[in-house]
């Protein structure tokens, strides 16, 4: 958190990398102890943060996040490429990528392969896909394309990312909800 106070949490894989050569069982035991003692807090499936940490964004980060978030929201089911965000928003690639990372960290963006979707749009998409799946026993990529008013270019990476996130799983040509 000292390196980048804007991040709300760190992935466990980032903690593993930072720990370097520490044997996995030792690191796992240390993380379990820190979580049990309340010094670390679990965030989502793979994130941890110090219990005392609260993210703090600079004015520049706040402005970049607002611009990038608006760009993603405008794209909806056909999100802009990183290059388009750079050109349209007048931001450098590192600033766009940082804003995307922070938006993902906050749950306001969702990465699907090389694409970044608006978090609110993805939440709505998941609700529509879940409703369809409950009624029809799942959904195909074609169903998703029609429900989400998008194209195969964007729907396939989105569905694969939703599978990875635990929302759905592929069974033959269909996807069914998990849990």
């Amino acid at each position: 958190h000292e390196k980048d106070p804007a991040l709300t949490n760190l992935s466990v894989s980032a903690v593993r990398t930072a720990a370097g050569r520490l044997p996995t069982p030792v690191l796992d035991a240390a993380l379990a102890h820190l979580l049990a003692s309340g010094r670390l807090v679990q965030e989502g499936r793979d994130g941890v943060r110090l219990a005392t940490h609260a993210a703090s964004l600079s004015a520049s980060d706040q402005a970049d996040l607002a611009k990038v978030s608006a760009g993603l929201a405008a794209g909806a089911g056909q999100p802009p490429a990183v290059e388009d965000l750079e050109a349209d928003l007048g931001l450098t690639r590192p600033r766009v990528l940082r804003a995307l990372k922070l938006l993902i960290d906050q749950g306001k963006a969702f990465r699907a392969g090389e694409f970044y979707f608006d978090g609110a749009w993805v939440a709505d998409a998941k609700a529509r896909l879940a409703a369809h799946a409950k009624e029809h026993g799942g959904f195909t990529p074609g169903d998703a394309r029609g429900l989400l008013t998008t194209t195969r270019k964007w729907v396939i990476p989105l569905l694969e990312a939703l599978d990875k996130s635990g929302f759905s799983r592929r069974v033959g040509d269909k996807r069914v909800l998990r849990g």
Side-chain angles (χ1 to χ4, degrees), residues 48-91:
V48 292
R49 68 171 172 80
L50 291 172
T52 57
H53 177 71
S56 59
L57 295 173
S58 68
S60 173
D61 280 338
Q62 289 177 19
D64 290 352
L65 263 64
K67 288 179 183 178
V68 173
S69 183
L72 295 180
Q78 299 179 8
V82 171
E83 301 81 30
D84 295 335
L85 289 170
E86 287 177 68
D88 295 347
L89 304 176
L91 298 174

Side-chain angles (χ1 to χ4, degrees), residues 16-128:
R16 287 187 195 290
T17 300
R21 297 181 187 198
L22 193 61
T24 299
V26 174
L27 179 59
D28 289 344
L31 288 172
H33 173 74
L34 291 169
L35 287 165
S37 70
R39 293 182 60 200
L40 282 183
V41 176
Q42 184 81 38
E43 294 282 337
R45 288 174 35 150
D46 187 44
V48 292
R49 68 171 172 80
L50 291 172
T52 57
H53 177 71
S56 59
L57 295 173
S58 68
S60 173
D61 280 338
Q62 289 177 19
D64 290 352
L65 263 64
K67 288 179 183 178
V68 173
S69 183
L72 295 180
Q78 299 179 8
V82 171
E83 301 81 30
D84 295 335
L85 289 170
E86 287 177 68
D88 295 347
L89 304 176
L91 298 174
T92 62
R93 179 170 296 251
R95 286 177 63 188
V96 170
L97 293 175
R98 176 169 172 73
L100 289 167
K101 179 180 180 180
L102 293 173
L103 288 168
I104 290 169
D105 186 49
Q106 296 174 1
K108 295 179 181 175
F110 183 81
R111 185 173 184 178
E114 67 186 84
F115 304 112
Y116 296 87
F117 289 86
D118 175 61
W121 183 86
V122 171
D124 180 63
K126 287 168 66 174
R128 287 190 268 160

